[in-house]
Amino acid sequence: MAGALSLIPAAQAVPRTAAKVGPGVWEQQVNTGVSLHFSFEFDNPKAFAGSIAHRAVGELGLFGVACLRHTVHRRPDDLTRAADASFLLTLQLAGSKQLTQDGRATTLRAGEFALYDSERPLTLDVGDDYRSVNVRFRKAALGAPDAAAFTHLVARKFSADHGIAPVVWSAVLGLGSLAPDGQSAGLLVAGNVLDMTATMLRAHAGIAGPAGGDDRLRRRQAVQAYIDERLADPDLRVDTIAAACFVSVRHLHALFRGSGHTVAGWIRHRRVAACKRDLADPAAHAVPVAAIGARWGFADPSHFGQVFKAAAGLTPAEFRRRALR
């Protein structure tokens, strides 16, 4: 596990040190950072110190914690607070904690991780000199079969050295250093990390076979988001999209199978929709039709007219006249 630990970006994925903080402030920081409601107990509130770093990347919520001894609960009253049903994975980097859920208790030390469920009561007894990295993901992002199977894995201890776990945790830690810009790239990378995480948990749950349709839908939505951000690029092509999304051209086509559009067809569909919006906008009435087409990736006015009429049944000029009557 030493290799994965060395990938932690200082003060990004996980704080290096705990800062002195009041219990009330700590409760607010954690509940905000994790987007869940917890209750806390402190042995020595006046001496408590803790630091938390958090960010959201695509479907994943990431948070790193460094703190001193205390106890964290998800009590029945906490469960009633509105929140998406989620699983959380916690990897121990230093110190220890005991995780108790569903009548099971396990103690995690450096290099070990466990899963817990946001919808069930929970207790975390955190020791001194504690550091962890954690990832939260919605059950809905997994699909019902996996979500049901993974509930049986809570409060069980796993080694981060075995199977694909080192790859998964290295990827999670790497997300902490992802640049804040480039949302579509982050969405794609986070989707890949979630896929790897689900594969790892399936192995622990004894589930064989390929990922389900929910995974394919999520991957396709990530690709569609990438395309939407680049509609204005006239050089947007299937091969460049596949390379940017880290998949083969064949796999990219497979993701769109059954969606009602090919990859190229989706690009045309979204470009025409954007052009319709602009053509129907009274504030853009003086902008030439060809300029609107070029704005959304149609470099050739003749080609733009042909594609638009095939999709809308009208030429761009006719569409504009009707829309602005």
Side-chain angles (χ1 to χ4, degrees):
M1 192 59 201
L5 293 178
S6 67
L7 293 176
I8 303 170
Q12 291 181 358
V14 187
R16 290 287 180 183
T17 58
K20 195 169 184 343
V21 63
V25 174
W26 180 245
E27 178 173 349
Q28 182 181 26
Q29 289 178 348
V30 173
N31 289 343
T32 299
V34 185
S35 298
L36 288 173
H37 194 273
F38 297 91
S39 301
F40 297 80
E41 295 178 26
F42 301 88
D43 293 341
N44 189 352
K46 293 183 178 180
F48 182 75
S51 300
I52 181 170
H54 59 86
R55 68 180 302 184
V57 183
E59 283 284 356
L60 303 180
L62 307 174
F63 58 102
V65 179
C67 64
L68 298 182
R69 180 183 304 274
H70 67 299
T71 300
V72 184
H73 300 282
R74 285 273 289 164
R75 296 188 171 109
D77 286 348
D78 298 313
L79 302 180
T80 63
R81 309 290 183 100
D84 290 333
S86 302
F87 286 116
L88 296 94
L89 274 175
T90 178
L91 171 65
Q92 199 73 18
L93 301 175
S96 67
K97 71 166 165 278
Q98 180 173 282
L99 188 160
T100 303
Q101 190 169 60
D102 271 6
R104 288 192 296 272
T106 188
T107 299
L108 301 181
R109 294 180 174 81
E112 297 173 334
F113 69 93
L115 182 76
Y116 60 95
D117 187 335
S118 74
E119 295 188 288
R120 304 184 184 195
L122 165 81
T123 297
L124 299 171
D125 290 302
V126 176
D128 282 328
D129 300 321
Y130 170 95
R131 293 179 75 230
S132 71
V133 62
N134 308 266
V135 57
R136 177 188 174 191
F137 46 95
R138 296 181 307 115
K139 292 181 181 180
L142 296 170
D146 281 347
F150 296 168
T151 58
H152 303 292
L153 298 178
V154 300
R156 299 186 186 278
K157 177 166 52 181
F158 304 105
S159 170
D161 284 329
H162 297 154
I164 68 167
V167 178
V168 172
W169 284 110
S170 294
V172 169
L173 293 170
L175 284 174
S177 61
L178 197 64
D181 57 351
Q183 292 183 0
S184 61
L187 187 68
L188 289 162
V189 174
N192 290 334
V193 173
L194 181 54
D195 291 340
M196 290 192 295
T197 300
T199 299
M200 176 181 70
L201 293 175
R202 286 189 196 107
H204 287 301
I207 300 172
D214 294 289
D215 290 334
R216 188 171 72 170
L217 173 61
R218 186 175 63 252
R219 293 190 191 107
R220 184 171 71 239
Q221 289 173 336
V223 172
Q224 288 170 335
Y226 177 89
I227 289 171
D228 278 355
E229 286 192 1
R230 290 161 177 79
L231 287 177
D233 181 359
D235 293 325
L236 188 65
R237 303 188 312 274
V238 172
D239 57 337
T240 58
I241 294 167
C245 297
F246 309 105
V247 297
S248 67
V249 170
R250 179 179 179 183
H251 183 69
L252 182 61
H253 285 307
L255 289 180
F256 279 75
R257 194 172 298 135
S259 70
H261 293 281
T262 63
V263 183
W266 177 256
I267 296 171
R268 287 194 300 271
H269 169 71
R270 295 298 290 163
R271 281 176 168 162
V272 168
C275 289
K276 283 181 176 180
R277 240 181 3 254
D278 286 358
L279 291 168
D281 183 359
H285 74 281
V287 179
V289 166
I292 287 178
R295 177 187 295 171
W296 293 109
F298 291 106
D300 180 351
S302 176
H303 176 64
F304 170 45
Q306 292 170 4
V307 172
F308 191 95
K309 186 171 183 179
L314 300 167
T315 67
E318 290 168 343
F319 180 88
R320 169 180 266 175
R321 281 195 295 270
R322 290 195 182 188
L324 296 179
R325 280 177 184 170

